[in-house]
Amino acid sequence: MTRDETSRKEGRIARHLRLAQEITREPRSIFPRARGWLIALWQKKGGGFYGLGYVVAFIALEIATLTSNVGASSSVTGFITAQAVQYLLRISVESIINTVLALLWPVYLLRWLGWYGFAVLAVAYVVFEHALRPLVENWFPELKAAQLERARLKHEKRRRKREKRAKRREHD
């Protein structure tokens, strides 16, 4: 292999084919992979209460979409073909819509519960932060590590800004 071939990033289709082969060889590996993907998704949304709500809403919306797609297909072959076309085009409008709707999960809770939704959100947040977060961080230590890293980066950014302001003051 040349240097360019080894330094090139693996493409999406090649990566997914490789993952499919690995999962086919070792089916039990799907659960750790799914866990890792969901935790990464949770981390991207902050790793806290909102992020957890996002992941739960996204999973529920994706399951609802998958269920409706299966129900709308006339055959297994039709379903697989439709999914393959969506994958190759990478334009799954339903998945994009689910992503946006999952971001808005607190709004749906408020629509569903009305004014009581504010109380439910507040109580759920307090319960999560004070009772559930320590349990969650024990189950998923990578969430705590990511949160500490975010805090470190935020602190570093603030420090650089302070230094920049101090230099400007010295220069003026």
Side-chain angles (χ1 to χ4, degrees):
M1 252 190 223
T2 66
R3 184 172 178 227
D4 288 336
E5 289 173 333
T6 57
S7 64
R8 231 183 330 184
K9 186 178 175 185
E10 183 179 34
R12 176 177 58 97
I13 293 174
R15 182 179 65 249
H16 291 171
L17 286 173
R18 180 182 49 77
L19 288 172
Q21 289 170 344
E22 290 174 11
I23 290 169
T24 302
R25 280 193 302 271
E26 186 60 43
R28 287 181 291 181
S29 71
I30 196 166
F31 295 111
R33 289 178 191 280
R35 178 185 186 272
W37 177 76
L38 290 171
I39 289 172
L41 187 60
W42 191 355
Q43 287 173 338
K44 286 179 186 175
K45 301 302 176 209
F49 178 65
Y50 175 81
L52 177 61
Y54 172 85
V55 170
V56 170
F58 183 76
I59 290 170
L61 290 165
E62 284 294 313
I63 289 171
T65 297
L66 183 64
T67 304
S68 69
N69 286 347
V70 168
S73 297
S74 59
S75 66
V76 173
T77 307
F79 171 74
I80 292 172
T81 303
Q83 294 304 308
V85 168
Q86 280 186 2
Y87 170 79
L88 290 173
L89 296 176
R90 181 103 189 197
I91 301 175
S92 176
V93 174
E94 293 167 340
S95 192
I96 293 168
I97 290 170
N98 288 346
T99 300
V100 172
L101 293 177
L103 287 169
L104 301 172
W105 71 266
V107 173
Y108 285 97
L109 185 66
L110 294 175
R111 257 182 68 197
W112 181 46
L113 297 175
W115 289 104
Y116 296 113
F118 286 109
V120 169
L121 279 173
V123 169
Y125 175 78
V126 169
V127 168
F128 177 82
E129 287 299 320
H130 297 289
L132 296 179
R133 183 179 286 281
L135 294 172
V136 167
E137 289 175 349
N138 283 336
W139 291 334
F140 308 112
E142 48 272 58
L143 283 174
K144 185 169 188 164
Q147 194 170 30
L148 292 172
E149 179 63 14
R150 261 193 314 280
R152 186 191 69 74
L153 291 173
K154 191 175 185 178
H155 179 72
E156 180 65 24
K157 185 177 178 181
R158 286 181 182 162
R159 185 189 61 75
R160 283 193 311 265
K161 280 185 176 180
R162 281 193 304 267
E163 287 174 358
K164 203 176 196 180
R165 275 188 247 130
K167 284 182 182 179
R168 266 191 264 145
R169 284 185 205 133
E170 282 178 13
H171 188 60
D172 291 339

